[in-house]
Structure formats: structure tokens, C-alpha cells
Amino acid sequence: MYYDAKNMKLLVIEDEPKLNAGLVEGLRERGHTVDFAFDGIKGEELARSEFYDLIILDIMLPERDGLSVCRNLRTYKIQTPILFLTARDTTEDKITGLDVGGDDYLVKPFSFDELSARIRTILRRAPQAASDILELDKLRIDTRAQIVTVNKKKINLTLREYCLLEYLLRNRGAVISREDILSHVWDRFHDSLSNVVDVHLKNLRKKLPIDYAKRIETVWGKGYRLV
């Protein structure tokens, strides 16, 4: 499978159930964490309360239209990149979407490959776009291919194990709570009382060389830290 970029946390705001479900499933299959909403009010609430790398926003939404959602987010100084989805394809409509603060515009119907390409393009030009390569001594992560190597030897990880390691490495030195890990590596619907984080970290440690496994510290009562 080809992966779009680093593991990202995305928000899909789309009122058509089948399209919403298809987008969420396709993006999760590519290794991303995805939250979703079916109307503009709920979508805006999520966008204002959670951090997302990118928002996929339909224009024609119940409760509050996508243009209003985008305009409100920019008013609140939320600069998360926004990709509009819409059936409207006139130049005037596109200009309106960009003028209220959108970053790109994709007309329905569209292919998932085109959506993925638009996401990559937006994130490449975003100021917060991160390097494709993460390194810690001899440990190296290629975030585009989602390949982990130590001393140039590939480490075979499951998708969640990979996402955990990438998230820890991007936040090296910081104590990360289980709740933060659940939010960024899984999604907001996951049971916060579950031991899924502990289980996956245990498996991740087993697959890493012992020197690196020991560098994933358990900070009792607080979470985990990669040192």
C-alpha cells in the first residue's frame, strides 16, 4: 500500500453518509487518525477543540455551511489547512472558498487518488509541514513509506506500532499521556479506559533492539516518554 505522508490526524466534515464513511475508511487505511462529523456545527466544535493536521470540509452542510465554518475558524485564528469538497464547480464558487480561508478546492465526484494528491500538496506548502525523515541515533523512520530501520535493518511493525513510534519520536523527551496517544494514534471514539496503548507499546518494545526499547520509558501515573 502507498501511504500519503506522515501519520496525520484529520477531520472529515461531510453530511452524505456513504461518502463520509468512504473517506474515513480510506484515510484510516493509509495510516491516518480520522475524526468525522455530519454537520457544520459539530464539525466546527471539533475543529476548535482538537488539533488536526488538515480538515476536509464539505460546503453544503446542514446546520452551518462549510464556508461559514471556515470563516469562523479563521476568525478564531485556527490555521489548520482546509480542503473544500463541493459539487459546485464555477470559478466564482472556487474563489469564494479560497477567499474565506480555504487552502484548496476539490469538486465532486473525485477519485481517492486525487484527494490524496491534494492533501500531500497542501501539507507540503503548509508552514508546519515536517520532514519525511525522522532519526534517533541509528533509528530512522521514513514517514512517507512508513519504514523503520535500525542500523539500516528494517523493523517490521504493525500500523499501530509504527504510528506509536512515530508519535513518540516526533515528541521525544516529552511525557505523553495515554489519552494523548489514544487521541493521536487512534481516534476520539476509542475507549479511554482500554489498555490498548499499553499492549501495543509492549509489542513495540519487543520488536525494537533492546537499547531502543529501553528508551521508551514508562512515567508512572503520567504516560510514556522516548529519551
Side-chain angles (χ1 to χ4, degrees):
M1 179 182 293
Y2 176 77
Y3 295 96
D4 293 330
K6 72 180 183 71
N7 172 47
M8 296 181 293
K9 187 172 183 180
L10 308 176
L11 174 61
V12 173
I13 310 174
E14 164 62 56
D15 66 315
E16 202 286 306
K18 288 186 178 180
L19 179 56
N20 189 308
L23 290 171
V24 171
E25 181 181 0
L27 292 167
R28 285 176 176 170
E29 285 179 351
R30 284 159 173 77
H32 306 308
T33 302
V34 189
D35 286 345
F36 58 90
F38 294 98
D39 66 76
I41 291 179
K42 182 60 178 179
E44 185 177 323
E45 288 176 354
L46 287 171
R48 289 175 57 182
S49 62
E50 299 279 343
F51 169 81
Y52 295 101
D53 293 288
L54 183 136
I55 298 169
I56 299 172
L57 176 61
D58 187 23
I59 288 182
M60 299 294 291
L61 290 169
E63 306 298 335
R64 184 173 296 157
D65 66 83
L67 295 176
S68 297
V69 171
C70 181
R71 188 182 294 109
N72 291 345
L73 293 178
R74 297 313 187 220
T75 298
Y76 283 98
K77 307 301 181 184
I78 295 173
Q79 298 303 316
T80 306
I82 292 175
L83 172 60
F84 278 121
L85 302 181
T86 184
R88 298 175 174 177
D89 60 356
T90 68
T91 300
E92 182 179 351
D93 288 328
K94 295 178 182 179
I95 291 173
T96 300
L98 297 175
D99 281 347
V100 299
D103 294 87
D104 204 350
Y105 198 105
L106 189 56
V107 177
K108 302 175 183 178
F110 54 85
S111 71
F112 205 94
D113 287 342
E114 182 179 6
L115 173 68
S116 297
R118 296 294 184 98
I119 291 173
R120 292 195 299 270
T121 298
I122 291 172
L123 293 177
R124 275 200 300 269
R125 65 179 182 241
Q128 67 268 32
S131 171
D132 290 337
I133 303 299
L134 298 175
E135 293 182 302
L136 178 65
D137 298 334
K138 299 296 183 180
L139 186 150
R140 186 176 188 270
I141 297 179
D142 181 336
T143 63
R144 282 190 63 82
Q146 293 195 341
I147 293 175
V148 178
T149 58
V150 177
N151 286 321
K152 298 183 179 181
K153 181 180 179 181
K154 183 178 178 181
I155 307 296
N156 293 314
L157 302 178
T158 67
L159 178 59
R160 292 304 178 192
E161 291 163 358
Y162 166 83
C163 292
L164 274 169
L165 181 60
E166 181 187 322
Y167 187 53
L168 288 169
L169 189 51
R170 288 190 183 278
N171 295 276
R172 71 185 73 177
V175 177
I176 306 172
S177 69
R178 287 177 177 81
E179 290 74 19
D180 282 341
I181 294 174
L182 277 171
S183 175
H184 285 79
V185 178
W186 278 266
D187 54 50
R188 67 188 178 93
F189 300 102
H190 208 89
D191 182 2
S192 62
L193 299 178
S194 167
N195 68 341
V196 65
V197 173
D198 308 81
V199 171
H200 280 77
L201 275 169
K202 180 179 179 180
N203 293 335
L204 173 61
R205 284 173 169 143
K206 288 180 179 179
K207 293 182 179 181
L208 292 173
I210 189 168
D211 290 346
Y212 288 94
K214 289 181 177 179
R215 296 176 76 163
I216 302 176
E217 296 182 340
T218 299
V219 183
W220 297 108
K222 295 183 178 180
Y224 297 93
R225 173 174 55 203
L226 179 64
V227 298

